[in-house]
């Protein structure tokens, strides 16, 4: 054999710490060159708590691997999933560039728990940041292996070889060439990436950094793309489940006699899960509507207005996140002060695809096709629920029809698995829109209190910040303030039992929307007190050159007029940091004084996100953030009465529509020497604050509570008249 | 039938309350049932009738309860899963199909109302592997992210362009108003529709 065989055997002998990893690995190892990738330090740090929680070991397992097959195609196996954010394209781009193969020769295999290495889930704008570097290194390693093979085959020194589009050629004699496919043929080479490979420098990238169209767009415009609800299995039944009228309600009597009127409907009771199954989804819906039940509802006198008082009452003592200087000194140096409380309501994820799953249990194994951001977490949860070992449960995520954090919870898939086990038939559970609004893990309502002062030269003298239930993300400020303190009620957004009347969870840039709304509103209030224009005021208080550049770029592109607020123009600006990315947004609004109705006319957003893998994809994410952000800023708020969620569909819960569409301009600041940062979330965090500041600039009224509905703007205008 | 539970200690456990009656297996991907014209009474008392309509250019007759909504018949009996369920009340537009060239919410459209009419779903737009200009424009402008609302968006847009080949931007916004997209692809969707309109006017194909 070749001179590599000894090395190969060594690699094969030591690479696989667990049998499961080895088995998974060998299953796909049909020959060719395979490189496994272990977590880089940053990823390991992020994953450690999740791995501990789910009993998975660190650090031996690898996080991804790629294979150059005998047909020359490159397959990348990763536990991440595609839900619209475009990583199916950006990850493939990185591989193609490092390996020097055409982009269309890369196949992405995502989230399949039988084929892909363990992953904690797709959220937090982490895919490109933490997966990018090790994946690129793996691709570089694969290229090295292939170059070594080529050197031997062509009998040419390795440093004389060059690769273009998957073809290795001798630079001295371009006729001497061999393809990756030929090289991979008949080989079984597996390597674990355990050293830093020499990466392509950014200047040599031909695919990364260039705009590329989505790789999944054609199947999405033809209807071929399969989502969980599109999976069909022989004998599959559709389930609808008896639901309580309010969270915390307990079931009394059930009268299911009505389902006899629905031909083919069958009832299944599995502990507290009461379901009706039918061969058609509408048949199941008709049947469940006939089931009558009595419920015991707990007394809970809470709604979207009284919740804030409740939250402050149940909040544990705040803990220190960050401090510096001495607040008393800061207070004594201030000539003006502002103290305000900012409120933010519950917000739904409301993906257009509701939580959906198909489960099949046969021969002691369970397979689940689910719309999920966390396939491996679901694998663990389903195994526990069904009493199976993890390797007997396979989760396959088809395309996910929007997640935004909401599909990190997998209730529908567990329901489907239980019903499939109970009935022995494949079962589909697709939540209705009302169920989606009921069982969603809402972004929590939160309160932020800020006291701050401003002194000589328009410098902020002190900053005292406390956040309750928004979470710490985005709470720490980045201004150059000598005396400051940032505290947060512990327990993050969830708080302890009895905090929220229903489930809460991560919503696109969790916590940061609320924290940035409060911080940047308050900065503007201080600017007004100091009599300084909001942009100039920020510049006076910002030392960080990166943030200054973001601010200046945003203001310049917008055409900011330094006239001080309120100018009547309706211009507003806000800054923020999320997922390592620095972002600035300027907006122009129109406020209808008679009704309080706010129309956003223009948005100019600039961000510094380090090296950009796919500028098209990053721009699309920014546009998506800005458009989606209009919703939480102006309209979105879950209304409830105790544990009863009053919003059940899009007639009362308003999300952004075409008529809301402002003129949007995005700017990605050139920073390709810096490592890539998150792109899926940052631009959404500044929308609320920029609009609040623009409303003030337009009419001189300050709104301290989101969403800034017409009614609340009108109330703020009325306060002016008092 | 009445069942009772008596609090936490008396939960329902054990076997299924109903044994499974032999259910119809996976519904056949029926092209045509040429059944007699007289109505059939099923056990549950629901009437099925043959409904004849044109589906993506093919005459199709299916024996169904005529009050069933087109969305579910497409997705379940006819195997066309490109038409999506989003809200079930005609509020989101994911289930939009064309009926005689006009966009309709298939989740609100009983089978009896499509009898004798022409229904076009997302699967019926591309011809011989060539994308329809509206589909091509959505690809060109990256006018989608998760892709779940996309079939409904494309059919709504197609319906607009059939009725008004040269819409203004405002007319596009007005027409698309009730098609919801959560990913925030609105701006690109508008641009895609403008491009498709221009392409279709050039006579690429209508």
């Amino acid at each position: 054999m070749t001179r590599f065989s000894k090395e190969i055997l060594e690699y094969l002998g030591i690479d696989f710490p667990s049998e499961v990893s080895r088995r998974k690995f060998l299953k796909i190892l049909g020959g060719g060159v395979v490189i496994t990738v272990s977590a880089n330090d940053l990823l390991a740090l992020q994953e450690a708590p999740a791995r501990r929680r789910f009993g998975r070991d660190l650090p031996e397992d690898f996080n991804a691997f790629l294979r150059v097959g005998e047909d020359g195609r490159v397959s990348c196996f990763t536990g991440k999933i595609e839900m619209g954010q475009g990583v199916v394209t950006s990850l493939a781009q990185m591989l193609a560039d490092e390996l020097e193969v055409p982009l269309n020769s890369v196949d992405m295999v995502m989230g399949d728990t039988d084929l892909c290495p363990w992953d904690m889930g797709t959220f937090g704008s982490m895919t490109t940041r933490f997966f990018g570097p090790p994946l690129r290194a793996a691709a570089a390693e694969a290229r090295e292996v292939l170059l070594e093979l080529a050197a031997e085959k062509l009998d040419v020194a390795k440093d004389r070889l060059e690769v273009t589009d998957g073809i290795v050629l001798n630079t001295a004699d371009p006729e001497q060439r061999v393809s990756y496919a030929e090289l991979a043929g008949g080989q079984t080479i597996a390597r674990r990436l355990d050293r830093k490979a020499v990466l392509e420098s950014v200047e040599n990238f031909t695919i990364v950094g260039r705009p590329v169209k989505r790789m999944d767009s054609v199947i999405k415009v033809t209807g071929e793309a399969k989502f969980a609800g599109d999976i069909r299995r022989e004998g599959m039944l559709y389930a609808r489940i008896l639901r309580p009228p309010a969270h915390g309600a307990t079931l009394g009597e059930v009268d299911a006699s009505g389902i006899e009127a629905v031909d083919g409907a069958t009832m299944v009771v599995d502990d507290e899960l009461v379901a009706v199954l039918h061969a058609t989804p509408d048949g199941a819906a008709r049947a469940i509507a006939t089931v009558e039940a009595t419920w015991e509802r707990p007394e809970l006198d809470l709604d979207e207005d009284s919740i804030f008082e409740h939250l402050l009452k149940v909040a544990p003592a705040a803990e220190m996140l960050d401090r510096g200087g001495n607040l008393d000194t800061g207070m004594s140096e201030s000539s003006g002060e502002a103290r305000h409380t900012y409120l933010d309501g519950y917000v739904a994820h409301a993906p257009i695809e509701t939580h959906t799953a198909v489960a099949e249990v046969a021969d002691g194994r369970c397979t689940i096709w689910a719309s999920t951001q966390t396939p491996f977490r679901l694998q663990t949860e389903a195994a526990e629920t069904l009493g199976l070992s993890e390797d007997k449960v396979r989760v396959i995520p088809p395309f996910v029809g929007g997640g935004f954090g909401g599909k990190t919870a997998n209730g529908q898939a567990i329901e489907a698995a239980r019903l499939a086990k109970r009935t022995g038939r494949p079962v589909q559970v697709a939540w209705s829109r009302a169920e989606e609004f009921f069982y969603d893990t809402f972004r929590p309502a939160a309160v932020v209190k800020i006291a701050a002062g401003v002194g000589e030269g328009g410098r902020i003298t002190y900053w005292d910040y406390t956040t309750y239930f928004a979470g710490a993300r985005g709470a720490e400020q980045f201004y150059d303030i000598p005396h400051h303190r940032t505290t947060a009620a512990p327990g993050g957004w969830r708080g302890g039992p009895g905090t929220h009347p229903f489930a809460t969870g991560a919503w696109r840039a969790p916590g940061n929307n609320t924290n940035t709304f409060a911080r940047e509103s308050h900065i503007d209030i201080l600017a007004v007190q100091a009599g300084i224009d909001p942009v100039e005021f920020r510049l006076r208080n910002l030392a960080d050159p990166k943030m200054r550049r973001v601010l200046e770029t945003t203001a310049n592109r917008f055409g900011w007029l330094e006239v001080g607020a309120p100018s009547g123009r309706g211009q507003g600006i806000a800054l923020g940091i999320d997922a390592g990315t620095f972002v600035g947004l300027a907006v122009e609004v129109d406020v209808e004084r008679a009704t309080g109705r706010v129309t956003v006319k223009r948005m100019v957003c600039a961000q510094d996100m380090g090296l950009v893998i796919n500028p098209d994809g990053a721009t699309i994410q920014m546009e998506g953030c800005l458009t989606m952000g209009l919703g939480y800023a102006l309209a979105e708020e879950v209304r409830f009465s105790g544990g009863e969620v009053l919003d059940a569909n899009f007639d009362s819960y308003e999300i952004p529509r075409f008529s809301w569409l402002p003129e949007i301009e995005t700017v990605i600041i050139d920073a390709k020497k810096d490592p890539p940062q998150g792109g899926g979330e940052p631009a959404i965090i500044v929308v609320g604050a920029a609009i609040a500041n623009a409303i003030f600039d337009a009419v001189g009224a300050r709104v301290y509570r989101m969403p800034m509905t017409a009614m609340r703007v009108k109330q703020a205008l009325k306060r002016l008249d008092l | 039938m009445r069942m009772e539970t008596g609090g936490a200690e008396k939960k329902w456990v054990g076997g299924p309350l109903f044994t499974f009656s032999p259910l119809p297996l996976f519904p056949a991907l029926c092209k045509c049932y040429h059944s007699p014209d007289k109505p059939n009474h099923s056990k549950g008392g629901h009437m099925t009738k043959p409904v004849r309509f044109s589906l993506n250019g093919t005459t199709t007759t299916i024996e169904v309860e005529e009050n069933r909504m087109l969305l579910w018949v497409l997705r379940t009996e006819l195997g066309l899963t490109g038409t999506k369920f989003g809200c079930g009340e005609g509020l989101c537009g994911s289930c939009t199909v064309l009926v005689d060239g006009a966009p309709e919410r298939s989740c609100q459209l009983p089978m009896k109302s499509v009898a004798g009419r022409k229904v076009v779903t997302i699967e019926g737009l591309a011809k011989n592997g060539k994308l329809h200009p509206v589909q091509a424009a959505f690809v060109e402008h990256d006018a989608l992210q998760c892709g779940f609302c996309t079939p409904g968006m494309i059919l709504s847009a197609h319906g607009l362009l059939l009725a008004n080949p040269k819409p203004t931007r405002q007319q596009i916004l007005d027409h698309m108003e009730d098609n919801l997209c959560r990913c925030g692809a609105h701006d690109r969707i508008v641009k895609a529709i403008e491009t498709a309109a221009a392409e279709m006017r050039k006579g690429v194909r209508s």
Side-chain angles (χ1 to χ4, degrees), chain A residues 26-51:
Chain A
L26 294 175
K27 192 185 284 181
I28 60 104
L29 188 69
V33 176
V34 178
I35 311 292
T36 66
V37 187
S38 55
N40 66 7
D41 295 345
L42 214 44
L43 181 63
L45 201 67
Q46 291 286 336
E47 286 198 339
R51 280 181 184 249

Side-chain angles (χ1 to χ4, degrees), chain B residues 20-193:
Chain B
F20 279 94
S21 52
L23 290 169
L25 276 180
F26 186 54
L29 298 181
C30 39
K31 266 267 184 255
C32 296
Y33 284 112
H34 284 294
S35 41
D37 275 346
K38 65 174 185 203
N40 294 327
H41 288 269
S42 69
K43 182 178 84 182
H46 289 275
M47 269 195 299
T48 63
K49 268 188 175 175
V51 175
R52 191 160 185 262
F53 64 110
S54 160
L55 177 59
N56 295 330
T58 304
T59 303
T60 304
T61 306
I62 183 167
E63 181 84 32
V64 286
E65 288 167 32
E66 56 177 8
N67 287 326
R68 286 187 68 196
M69 300 302 168
L70 175 63
L71 170 67
W72 301 118
V73 175
L74 286 173
R75 290 186 51 81
T76 313
E77 273 78 6
L78 296 167
L80 297 178
T81 56
T83 307
K84 302 302 185 199
F85 162 80
C87 73
E89 295 180 20
L91 299 168
C92 77
S94 310
C95 67
T96 304
V97 299
L98 292 187
V99 179
D100 291 340
E104 297 267 6
R105 306 296 191 232
S106 66
C107 77
Q108 301 296 301
L109 206 60
M111 287 304 294
K112 64 184 171 201
S113 69
V114 302
R117 302 173 76 188
K118 287 187 184 136
V119 174
V120 175
T121 70
I122 193 69
E123 291 90 348
L125 277 194
K127 292 274 157 41
N128 306 318
K130 190 172 184 301
L131 295 181
H132 184 275
V134 180
Q135 291 173 312
F138 269 63
V139 171
E140 185 191 329
H141 287 275
D142 269 333
L144 57 97
Q145 290 186 32
C146 80
F148 198 79
C149 71
T150 308
M153 290 284 177
I154 288 174
L155 287 165
S156 272
H158 185 28
L160 167 68
L161 298 182
L162 287 175
N164 177 3
K166 203 175 175 182
T168 62
R169 183 181 162 87
Q170 190 57 48
Q171 285 170 330
I172 293 173
L173 295 176
D174 291 346
H175 178 86
M176 300 301 289
E177 180 69 353
D178 292 334
N179 278 76
L180 301 182
C181 163
R182 187 54 158 167
C183 300
H186 302 72
D187 196 33
R188 286 166 185 269
I189 292 170
V190 174
K191 289 182 178 126
I193 296 170

Side-chain angles (χ1 to χ4, degrees), chain A residues 120-140:
Chain A
M120 75 173 161
T122 307
F123 47 79
S125 295
M126 289 192 280
T127 305
T128 305
R129 272 191 294 165
F130 300 137
F131 255 65
L135 263 188
R136 282 178 54 201

Side-chain angles (χ1 to χ4, degrees), chain A residues 135-195:
Chain A
L135 263 188
R136 282 178 54 201
E141 180 81 10
R143 191 185 53 188
E144 283 304 299
V145 172
L146 288 160
L147 279 177
E148 284 165 18
L149 289 170
E152 191 185 358
K153 185 144 190 162
L154 301 175
D155 199 18
V156 176
K158 211 174 94 185
D159 58 9
R160 308 259 308 271
L161 297 173
E162 204 176 80
V163 191
T164 313
D165 282 354
I167 309 285
V168 188
L169 49 83
N170 181 353
T171 45
D173 176 10
E175 288 306 299
Q176 250 200 314
R177 53 173 61 201
V178 61
S179 70
Y180 279 179
E182 291 169 74
L183 291 169
Q187 302 283 351
T188 303
I189 300 178
R191 281 202 186 174
R192 181 189 173 86
L193 183 73
D194 55 358
R195 62 180 166 83

